[in-house]
Amino acid sequence: MIGLISATAAGAAARDRLAAAWPDRTRVYEGPVGDAVRTAFAQCEQLVCFLATGAVVRLVAPLLSGKTEDPGVVCVDEGGRFAVSLLGGHAGGANELAREVGDLLGAEPVVTTATDAVDLAGLDTLGLPVEGDVAGVSRALLDGEAVALRADVAWPLPPLPVTDEGAYTIRLTDRLVESAEREAVLRPPTLVVGVGASRGAPVEEVLGLVGDALRETGLSVASVAELATVDAKAEEAGIVEAARRLGVPLVTYSAEELAGVDVPNPSDAPLAAVGTPSVAEAAALVGGGELLVPKRKSAASPAMATCAVVRRPGRGRLAVVGLGPGARDLLTPRAKAELRRASVLVGLDQYVDQIRDLLRPGTRILESGLGAEEERARTAVEEARKGQAVALIGSGDAGVYAMASPALAEASDDIDVVGVPGVTAALAAGAILGAPLGHDHVSISLSDLHTPWEVIERRVRAAAEADIVVTFYNPRSRGRDWQLPKALGILAEHRTPRTPVGVVRNASRPDESSRLTTLGSLDPATVDMMTVVTVGNTATRDIAGRMVTPRGYRWQAAQEGAE
């Protein structure tokens, strides 16, 4: 919950805007400001104070406990110009809250956390348990000193400016190790603990068994991702409470699923009890991985719990990102977030240049020229399979005549794939022209480099006969100068010469140009590969210089009757 505190009418107005926008996230604290701050500080995870930073400093100073316990605090000035992350920038989420408040109120977020100020991913913001010399290693990263990454397991980290050797070290491990001098240890959630238990097994017995298995094998409990068991034990109190105390989810599988998992130590007892020859090993192994701890029983007599431990390597992550038509303000916030998250960027060189300034320090860039789409797709998938966080970029929407299709054709289920939509050229051009896509519409690429012309022509004829608005991508190049006239001729068999046609070049970019013409007047020689051509249907009209396709044909009939 976010506590909201104000002292003046102006502050209350801004406070109420936040409360209205986030009704389920916020609570307004009335009354004397000092009492309100103290109460909210004790009750809320975050505070937004519409007060001077000095006043808030004095009020919260006696309340501070530590960076991991204190709530995040953001201050907004009386004029609503700035949202200042005052306390708990990382641990309390105040940095991100300041950005959210800024977006909502039109205020400038002020973030002074060192790593955020220079756009480095803070070690305590990666979502992983971290210990050791976090401050020293972070300072070394900020100062540009050599920091080595030592990864015992693969995990998709965001970009970090690391090297193979260095005086400081970031260690990525699920092993039970003490951090060395000048070393920060990150604990990825790679371990799955399968658990079986007799009815009424005490939670202490389950936890003791799991703790002993991890400790004796040299594994860290901080890297446990989940407890897993059979559906029949989904409400077994000892298992449920063990998961709660470990702070991990309890995942269950049907006996049929577990019975299909090949395990080294099957048994007749669980087969008779719950219908599968293995619970602990099978539940741990159902998602694949390396069996580090075979089935073992608790030390109690009689033993009421069993467990097994599997290491599931971190799955690589491939984000296929659409950059939009080119204008920075048409690049979506989600796309920006994925670019900042990726440790490896793969893309066409001219697209990389568009967003190079958005990448974090340490991002590895793999760029290539025109005509290497399949190679870029293969490279991106290969990097993801190495456990990297990869962004594969394309213009417009990555799924429309771009990189998503070749990438997904290469990818299998051994990596996570995320699609990030973007504004397509057809949509950007449509917004410039007016509303040409107001009814059914289709996009057709006239490039026959990958698609035989016979197929393209059949699609153009189908669109022409169905009276569908058509946007042509890749309409004409120096080596392909006959396809557009041919396609326009097919449409002309079903539409009048005065059918509106919109021509947009470099939509949304600084050298953008557009014009509205007709099917009978368009000169194909004025069109190139940077252009999209939108041809209206029989209902499309030129209204006040704008291309408009009505949402239904009744409007057309009424207009024709008036004429």
Side-chain angles (χ1 to χ4, degrees):
M1 186 62 65
I2 302 171
L4 305 180
I5 301 103
S6 63
T8 66
R15 176 203 69 192
D16 292 344
R17 286 177 60 192
L18 278 190
W22 300 337
D24 298 328
R25 298 177 61 191
T26 58
R27 179 187 303 161
V28 173
Y29 286 80
E30 304 277 10
V33 169
D35 293 342
V37 168
R38 284 187 288 273
T39 303
F41 198 92
Q43 295 178 348
C44 298
E45 291 81 23
Q46 296 174 320
L47 279 69
V48 179
C49 299
F50 297 86
L51 306 165
T53 54
V56 177
V57 167
R58 286 190 291 273
L59 288 170
V60 303
L63 310 176
L64 301 180
S65 298
K67 64 184 300 182
T68 59
E69 293 86 20
D70 296 331
V73 179
V74 170
C75 291
V76 178
D77 67 288
E78 190 74 6
R81 296 174 300 168
F82 302 103
V84 182
S85 174
L86 182 69
L87 178 69
H90 284 169
N95 291 350
E96 184 57 34
L97 180 59
R99 297 185 182 99
E100 288 187 82
V101 171
D103 286 343
L104 186 60
L105 299 181
E108 180 71 23
V110 179
V111 175
T112 58
T113 308
T115 49
D116 292 73
V118 297
D119 208 20
L120 280 175
L123 298 181
D124 55 350
T125 67
L126 304 183
L128 304 178
V130 59
E131 58 194 57
D133 189 10
V134 179
V137 174
S138 298
R139 188 166 52 249
L141 289 170
L142 290 166
D143 291 343
E145 297 187 44
V147 177
L149 176 63
R150 180 181 171 188
D152 298 338
V153 292
W155 195 261
L157 293 175
L160 293 167
V162 293
T163 60
D164 293 332
E165 300 291 337
Y168 292 82
T169 304
I170 298 171
R171 184 170 181 183
L172 185 69
T173 185
D174 57 13
R175 306 297 301 179
L176 187 61
V177 296
E178 295 290 335
S179 58
E181 185 179 1
R182 296 185 173 186
E183 181 179 69
V185 178
L186 293 171
R187 307 281 189 189
T190 56
L191 305 178
V192 177
V193 180
V195 178
S198 302
R199 183 178 299 176
V203 62
E204 291 77 11
E205 183 172 343
V206 176
L207 283 175
L209 173 62
V210 172
D212 290 345
L214 294 170
R215 185 171 52 256
E216 292 171 14
T217 318
L219 299 171
S220 172
V221 69
S223 285
V224 174
E226 62 189 46
L227 292 192
T229 191
V230 67
D231 283 347
K233 298 297 179 180
E235 297 182 4
E236 185 65 47
I239 296 177
V240 172
E241 179 62 15
R244 189 193 69 80
R245 294 191 192 180
L246 290 170
V248 299
L250 175 62
V251 179
T252 65
Y253 301 95
S254 69
E256 183 180 5
E257 287 179 278
L258 298 186
V261 178
D262 186 28
V263 298
N265 300 293
S267 173
D268 292 335
L271 180 60
V274 294
T276 172
S278 172
V279 173
E281 286 182 341
L285 283 167
V286 71
E290 176 187 4
L291 184 62
L292 302 179
V293 180
K295 182 181 73 173
R296 59 187 293 172
K297 297 181 179 180
S298 57
S301 182
M304 299 184 72
T306 61
C307 82
V309 182
V310 164
R311 175 186 287 140
R312 290 183 189 168
R315 290 168 61 89
R317 188 176 191 276
L318 173 60
V320 189
V321 181
L323 300 180
R328 178 59 59 83
D329 59 352
L330 292 181
L331 178 66
T332 67
R334 187 179 300 179
K336 291 179 183 178
E338 289 294 346
L339 294 175
R340 291 167 54 80
R341 176 174 181 164
S343 58
V344 180
L345 181 85
V346 181
L348 179 67
D349 48 12
Q350 63 189 50
Y351 297 154
V352 172
D353 289 340
Q354 289 181 23
I355 48 83
R356 197 182 298 270
D357 62 300
L358 296 178
L359 304 178
R360 277 180 158 161
T363 305
R364 184 157 54 96
I365 300 173
L366 304 176
E367 54 188 315
S368 54
L370 287 167
E373 288 87 354
E374 287 80 6
E375 179 185 345
R376 285 194 290 275
R378 284 192 295 271
T379 297
V381 172
E382 288 169 2
E383 291 294 328
R385 284 182 175 143
K386 296 175 185 176
Q388 301 289 336
V390 182
L392 175 62
I393 59 174
S395 66
D397 182 283
V400 180
Y401 304 123
M403 295 306 302
S405 179
L408 268 61
E410 293 284 338
S412 51
D413 63 358
D414 57 346
I415 61 173
D416 294 326
V417 178
V418 177
V420 182
V423 178
T424 67
L427 295 178
I432 294 165
L433 294 169
L437 309 182
H439 206 288
D440 297 336
H441 56 275
V442 63
S443 296
I444 299 177
S445 171
L446 295 183
S447 172
D448 55 2
L449 295 177
H450 299 287
T451 306
W453 174 254
E454 293 77 14
V455 175
I456 297 173
E457 181 173 337
R458 187 164 68 246
R459 292 170 180 171
V460 175
R461 288 193 180 280
E465 293 171 1
D467 197 27
I468 295 176
V469 176
V470 181
T471 297
F472 289 122
Y473 281 68
N474 306 312
R476 184 177 181 275
S477 67
R478 282 177 292 184
R480 295 185 300 100
D481 59 0
W482 59 269
Q483 287 90 342
L484 179 59
K486 177 68 172 177
L488 294 174
I490 294 171
L491 293 177
E493 296 173 11
H494 300 269
R495 303 176 195 186
T496 69
R498 63 178 183 175
T499 300
V501 176
V503 180
V504 181
R505 188 177 190 276
N506 284 333
S508 86
R509 301 186 183 186
D511 56 346
E512 168 191 298
S513 64
S514 65
R515 67 184 188 278
L516 186 57
T517 182
T518 64
L519 187 57
S521 301
L522 175 62
D523 180 4
T526 62
V527 173
D528 62 13
M529 284 289 287
M530 305 304 293
T531 306
V532 290
V533 178
T534 300
V535 182
N537 64 14
T538 57
T540 305
R541 295 289 183 267
D542 177 344
I543 301 176
R546 301 182 184 93
M547 187 175 178
V548 180
T549 301
R551 293 182 61 184
Y553 283 82
R554 295 176 182 173
W555 182 78
Q556 176 194 15
Q559 188 178 48
E560 288 175 349
E563 291 174 353

